[in-house]
Amino acid sequence: MMLNYDAPLYRPPSEARSLIFQVTLGCSFNECSFCDMYRSKQYSEKPWDEVKMEIDLMAKQLPDTRKIFLADGDALNLDSEYIVKIVKYLYEKFSNLERISCYAMPMNILKKTPEELKKMHEAGLDMLYLGIESGSDIVLKKVTKGAIAKTIIKSVNKAKDAGYIMSCMIILGLGGKTYSKEHIKGTAEVISACSPNYVGALTLYLENGIKQEFLEKFGEPFIRITDDESLEELYDLISQIETKEEIIFRANHGSNAYTIKGTFPQDKQAMLDKINWMKQHPEIMRPEGLRGF
């Protein structure tokens, strides 16, 4: 007997081998115009009896579990004491457990006190995945992100101060052609100001169900960037990121035309050199069929 998930179920690519517990369903914000992950669900929180029953069940089925991801998009929205209770119980039941992680929104981190964040981390919540998407306030407003650059920086730094490993996502092409320069400039500034442990660059991909809403909320004609312009954005982003702290950078998602990876600050020049080489060799680009708008 396995868990009966409330579909759709999402997790970050790096949680591919993790055991997933849905402690919340949906997303309490659910208004980002580029994201339709939880549009089919009403946000709700699972009661302890149900969560405990599922943990007990899976502890028998998969006792050697090493990584656990708490879903859906908004587990950090739960009351801090409840998260502590869940996390402590998971470590009790899974003796080989090495990591527990979940998605986090800037507003969810900012609502917690530093003490609450520390308490959850000490209990065993190790890693948070946060969508930066853009560092441009114009773009963030146009895609109804529910955060501005300042609050994103503040939230990542607040979580890092409490001991969390931070993995952040940004979206190439989110400002379209019109706002490409400020999108990349602002995004580089945000990354430089909070130096997440990991940064993943995706390229804008809109599911059919959300496309019309995205275009309407954008408030003006949205001109999609080309693959060449996407590579240009990637070059500008990497060249403008300034950090003394180590940032593991990846642009290898299926939505990207090109694959770039490295670690700041030491690999910065090597990544820029590789992009310059790619510009001379467009034949290495991934087929359009793997990506979309």
Side-chain angles (χ1 to χ4, degrees):
M1 187 179 165
M2 297 299 276
L3 292 178
N4 186 19
Y5 290 121
D6 187 315
L9 181 69
Y10 295 94
R11 47 99 186 134
S14 53
E15 299 294 332
R17 296 181 180 277
S18 301
L19 174 57
I20 302 175
F21 289 101
Q22 280 178 310
V23 294
T24 61
L25 300 180
C27 169
S28 65
F29 183 63
N30 217 14
E31 286 178 38
C32 299
S33 67
F34 53 86
C35 174
D36 78 336
M37 283 163 57
Y38 305 109
R39 291 305 176 93
S40 62
K41 297 183 185 184
Q42 187 78 34
Y43 175 76
S44 64
E45 302 177 351
K46 272 196 187 170
W48 170 244
D49 290 350
E50 210 174 318
V51 172
K52 183 181 181 295
M53 184 185 72
E54 291 181 348
I55 293 170
D56 290 342
L57 172 70
M58 297 318 293
K60 289 193 186 84
Q61 302 266 347
L62 299 168
D64 298 331
T65 294
R66 293 181 182 277
K67 291 181 184 176
I68 285 173
F69 181 74
L70 302 177
D72 270 336
D74 217 1
L76 206 71
N77 194 53
L78 290 171
D79 177 78
S80 301
E81 289 299 328
Y82 188 20
I83 294 174
V84 167
K85 187 176 185 176
I86 292 168
V87 168
K88 280 185 171 174
Y89 194 65
L90 285 168
Y91 271 98
E92 261 177 53
K93 301 300 284 187
F94 294 93
S95 55
N96 295 326
L97 196 52
E98 292 167 3
R99 185 175 91 193
I100 300 175
S101 59
C102 69
Y103 285 128
M105 290 191 293
M107 65 181 87
N108 287 345
I109 293 172
L110 295 176
K111 276 193 294 194
K112 307 282 187 195
T113 65
E115 292 71 34
E116 285 177 305
L117 288 170
K118 279 198 179 78
K119 204 169 175 186
M120 292 185 300
H121 181 257
E122 283 162 7
L125 182 61
D126 307 285
M127 186 170 180
L128 303 176
Y129 292 89
L130 180 140
I132 290 172
E133 330 309 356
S134 177
S136 158
D137 285 350
I138 296 170
V139 175
L140 289 166
K141 191 174 181 185
K142 283 182 167 292
V143 301
T144 52
K145 168 70 180 167
I148 56 174
K150 191 168 71 177
T151 57
I152 293 169
I153 293 165
K154 194 176 172 188
S155 67
V156 175
N157 281 328
K158 187 175 180 180
K160 279 177 66 186
D161 287 345
Y164 292 90
I165 297 165
M166 294 301 294
S167 181
C168 296
M169 289 70 74
I170 68 103
I171 304 176
L172 299 169
L174 191 61
K177 205 173 288 226
T178 312
Y179 297 100
S180 180
K181 290 287 178 229
E182 49 254 77
H183 168 50
I184 293 304
K185 181 177 180 288
T187 303
E189 284 170 359
V190 167
I191 293 168
S192 302
C194 61
S195 295
N197 307 84
Y198 297 89
V199 171
L202 288 64
T203 302
L204 181 64
Y205 179 94
L206 295 175
E207 301 282 355
N208 283 332
I210 206 96
K211 198 180 291 184
Q212 199 50 45
E213 182 190 329
F214 177 87
L215 296 173
E216 283 170 14
K217 281 184 172 177
F218 204 77
E220 62 184 274
F222 181 85
I223 307 154
R224 184 191 177 195
I225 62 168
T226 64
D227 287 336
D228 287 344
E229 287 163 339
S230 170
L231 197 57
E232 208 57 57
E233 281 200 353
L234 198 52
Y235 184 91
D236 290 347
L237 177 70
I238 290 168
S239 64
Q240 291 176 56
I241 291 171
E242 297 295 338
T243 179
K244 290 184 174 68
E245 293 181 54
E246 195 170 271
I247 301 174
I248 295 167
F249 183 85
R250 297 285 182 267
N252 56 1
H253 188 261
S255 62
N256 296 341
Y258 302 89
T259 294
I260 288 285
K261 55 184 180 179
T263 303
F264 285 97
Q266 60 265 38
D267 298 336
K268 179 174 173 173
Q269 192 54 52
M271 287 191 280
L272 294 173
D273 292 344
K274 187 177 180 189
I275 293 173
N276 279 328
W277 180 85
M278 285 173 161
K279 288 177 186 175
Q280 313 303 316
H281 298 84
E283 71 278 1
I284 59 132
M285 191 174 69
R286 290 181 184 172
E288 185 72 42
L290 294 176
R291 309 185 308 285
F293 176 69

